[in-house]
Amino acid sequence: MAEVTLAPCNHALSGEIEVPGDKSISHRAIILGSLANGVTNITNFLDGEDCMRTIHAFQSMGVSITKEGSTVTIDGKGISALKEPKEPLYFGNSGTTTRLMLGILSGLNFFTTIYGDESLAKRPMDRVVNPLREMDATIDGRNTGNLLPLSIRGKQLKGMEYTLPVKSAQVKSAVLLAGLFADGNTTVVEKTQTRDHTENMLEAFGADITRSGLSTTITSNHKLIASDVHVPGDISSAAFFLVAGAIVQGSDITLNNVGLNETRTGIIDVLIKMDADLEIQNKRLVSGEWIGDITIRHSELKGITIDGEIIPRLIDEIPVIALLASQANGETVIKDAEELKVKETDRIAAVVDVLSTLGANIQGTEDGMIIKGKTPLKGGKIASYHDHRIAMMGAIASLVTNDTVTIDDASSISISYPSFFEHLNSLK
Ligand code: S3P
């Protein structure tokens, strides 16, 4: 799949969708299952390219991992059984694999080289490398260790207390995972709460971890215990259909079994504040994570300000929230989201480019964007920037344009949502 042309949708969308497993949780399940002793069964694993990178990384270190569709079985033999990989590890487009693996590889007593695709090679790694070096890690690479390829000479690490300078769950997770191998305690303090799937799963796998407000402490532990994981549906994938339901006249869509961890539900808060017609049912706790069914119906929406502590709770949803805002009455201001510039692409520039090509009134700022709605959207040819979330936002936009939308390359969608077009067509 390269170029894709989508016709506008001139009727209501209705139906039920089961979005695929959560990307963040799928990565973490592979990581902890591979470090643990015993058999870990993972169900509803996200069969997307990024998560496959994490599987391949551990297979290259000798871990037995088998996968049948969305079910994965890991026969974990514990940390000491991991072996030096014979080849450099390729992480493709996956920032999560890279940053979390840096934390782990730093504490394993062997040498590894890691590299990625063109986008990953541009993304900053010093945010992880700097704290790991404070823990005594030996990491080197381009730009004094900020850019891939990087090489890691694993060794005994020492614990530390670290206050995160960036709002990043990947950095928090890398330091906590390194803490599993470090002498003494490792404490991470956040200024703003980011997703806490690593902490939840470390608890489930028997790590010695304590949480108090925005501070998390882990004590060295080489004996994680295997624990089965059922992965909730990814709210970041559900977000595309939540927006579709909210903006397409007459729509009524239900998304079943979606992860509702509070550190991820910023999009729901935004939709409610914008006056969306949204309902959550069957909320329940599964494998330590909240899940539920979300129903969204079309309604008149109003612009709002999105800033401060909510930003990490919806950081990956901002491209599709910008589209939502273009169909809301009044002004929507998104602030404090400078992290968007270092995602798979500069998502401020990409969103502004795509939505203004389609006729939206949108302006980029240093840390976000300002969107004035409601604007009728027109067809056109848009660039995906090889970014899955930009490509999917463009596809959802095409539902409300007056003419066809051509996406230059939609292949990146398989990174997080391989069945996206199948699900989209099922609603049409
Ligand atoms: C992720 C954290 C976020 C998010 C990314 C996945 C994770 O990145 O954007 O898609 O799984 O920890 P940052 O940690 O860079 O904010």
Side-chain angles (χ1 to χ4, degrees):
M1 186 187 355
E3 188 174 285
V4 169
T5 297
L6 299 155
C9 171
N10 39 26
H11 58 82
L13 299 172
S14 72
E16 293 189 24
I17 288 181
E18 178 96 34
V19 294
D22 187 275
K23 183 155 82 68
S24 294
I25 296 176
S26 294
H27 281 298
R28 287 155 172 83
I30 298 298
I31 291 172
L32 294 193
S34 297
L35 298 179
N37 289 276
V39 175
T40 292
N41 293 301
I42 307 168
T43 44
N44 202 35
F45 176 77
L46 170 62
D47 194 6
E49 276 173 32
D50 270 15
C51 297
M52 289 310 296
R53 305 292 175 200
T54 302
I55 289 192
H56 288 145
F58 282 101
Q59 284 174 331
S60 307
M61 291 186 269
V63 182
S64 159
I65 307 178
T66 51
K67 185 177 145 311
E68 270 192 57
S70 61
T71 300
V72 177
T73 305
I74 307 175
D75 191 3
K77 302 278 184 236
I79 288 165
S80 55
L82 294 173
K83 293 193 192 70
E84 183 171 77
K86 294 194 183 80
E87 309 274 343
L89 301 178
Y90 181 63
F91 292 159
N93 195 247
S94 183
T96 309
T97 307
T98 310
R99 297 202 175 113
L100 272 53
M101 291 305 296
L102 273 167
I104 291 162
L105 295 170
S106 295
L108 293 172
N109 195 18
F110 50 67
F111 176 79
T112 331
T113 300
I114 61 176
Y115 68 112
D117 70 7
E118 220 182 300
S119 150
L120 198 56
K122 290 187 196 134
R123 297 182 69 184
M125 296 301 152
D126 55 355
R127 51 182 52 204
V128 174
V129 170
N130 291 341
L132 292 174
R133 281 179 176 158
E134 277 185 47
M135 296 176 81
D136 260 1
T138 303
I139 303 172
D140 206 354
R142 284 195 306 134
N143 196 231
T144 62
N146 182 31
L147 298 174
L148 294 178
L150 293 174
S151 64
I152 305 107
R153 168 66 64 190
K155 61 196 274 220
Q156 180 59 53
L157 302 177
K158 59 174 205 283
M160 67 158 177
E161 178 164 333
Y162 189 68
T163 300
L164 288 180
V166 278
K167 296 173 267 188
S168 167
Q170 292 176 352
V171 178
K172 172 177 63 174
S173 301
V175 174
L176 288 175
L177 290 169
L180 277 175
F181 309 92
D183 277 339
N185 291 341
T186 300
T187 299
V188 183
V189 182
E190 299 190 89
K191 291 181 195 142
T192 310
Q193 174 80 57
T194 62
R195 65 192 69 193
D196 64 354
H197 307 300
T198 302
E199 297 90 307
N200 291 344
M201 212 178 283
L202 278 165
E203 272 168 6
F205 277 75
D208 190 354
I209 178 170
T210 49
R211 295 198 245 182
S212 163
L214 293 173
S215 166
T216 306
T217 300
I218 188 158
T219 307
S220 175
N221 180 354
H222 289 251
K223 287 227 162 7
L224 294 180
I225 302 147
S227 175
D228 291 348
V229 180
H230 180 76
V231 182
D234 197 330
I235 191 163
S236 299
S237 298
F240 296 100
F241 295 109
L242 289 174
V243 170
I247 66 175
V248 176
Q249 197 79 34
S251 294
D252 185 343
I253 303 172
T254 296
L255 299 149
N256 292 320
N257 304 315
V258 180
L260 294 173
N261 178 316
E262 270 213 22
T263 63
R264 299 285 300 283
T265 49
I267 174 104
I268 291 178
D269 296 358
V270 160
L271 280 160
I272 291 171
K273 213 168 152 196
M274 289 175 96
D275 280 349
D277 179 353
L278 181 145
E279 214 181 315
I280 297 177
Q281 280 171 322
N282 297 325
K283 201 168 166 188
R284 59 209 185 274
L285 202 57
V286 176
S287 295
E289 294 279 352
W290 287 102
I291 66 173
D293 307 331
I294 315 172
T295 298
I296 183 106
R297 298 182 192 92
H298 171 257
S299 64
E300 272 304 307
L301 302 167
K302 63 170 199 244
I304 59 167
T305 295
I306 304 168
D307 62 356
E309 303 217 328
I310 198 170
I311 294 296
R313 298 177 55 229
L314 48 66
I315 190 72
D316 291 342
E317 289 66 78
I318 290 178
V320 81
I321 288 174
L323 166 66
L324 176 74
S326 78
Q327 301 307 299
N329 298 307
E331 186 173 89
T332 294
V333 180
I334 302 174
K335 289 192 280 198
D336 304 323
E338 59 286 334
E339 275 294 303
L340 290 174
K341 292 188 195 158
V342 289
K343 293 295 175 190
E344 283 81 336
T345 186
D346 175 344
R347 283 188 177 155
I348 296 181
V351 167
V352 170
D353 172 36
V354 167
L355 286 177
S356 41
T357 301
L358 299 179
N361 182 341
I362 179 167
Q363 191 197 318
T365 62
E366 258 314 294
D367 63 349
M369 50 199 91
I370 300 169
I371 306 117
K372 292 193 177 107
K374 177 179 184 176
T375 316
L377 298 185
K378 57 184 186 184
K381 180 156 182 176
I382 56 172
S384 70
Y385 294 83
H386 306 290
D387 180 327
H388 52 134
R389 302 205 198 276
I390 300 295
M392 286 188 275
M393 182 271 275
I396 298 298
S398 80
L399 297 168
V400 292
T401 50
N402 67 354
D403 205 347
T404 55
V405 170
T406 300
I407 305 172
D408 66 342
D409 179 8
S411 56
S412 59
I413 291 175
S414 54
I415 282 169
S416 65
Y417 201 160
S419 53
F420 173 76
F421 283 113
E422 200 187 302
H423 287 178
L424 181 59
N425 290 332
S426 77
L427 296 174
K428 279 187 178 176

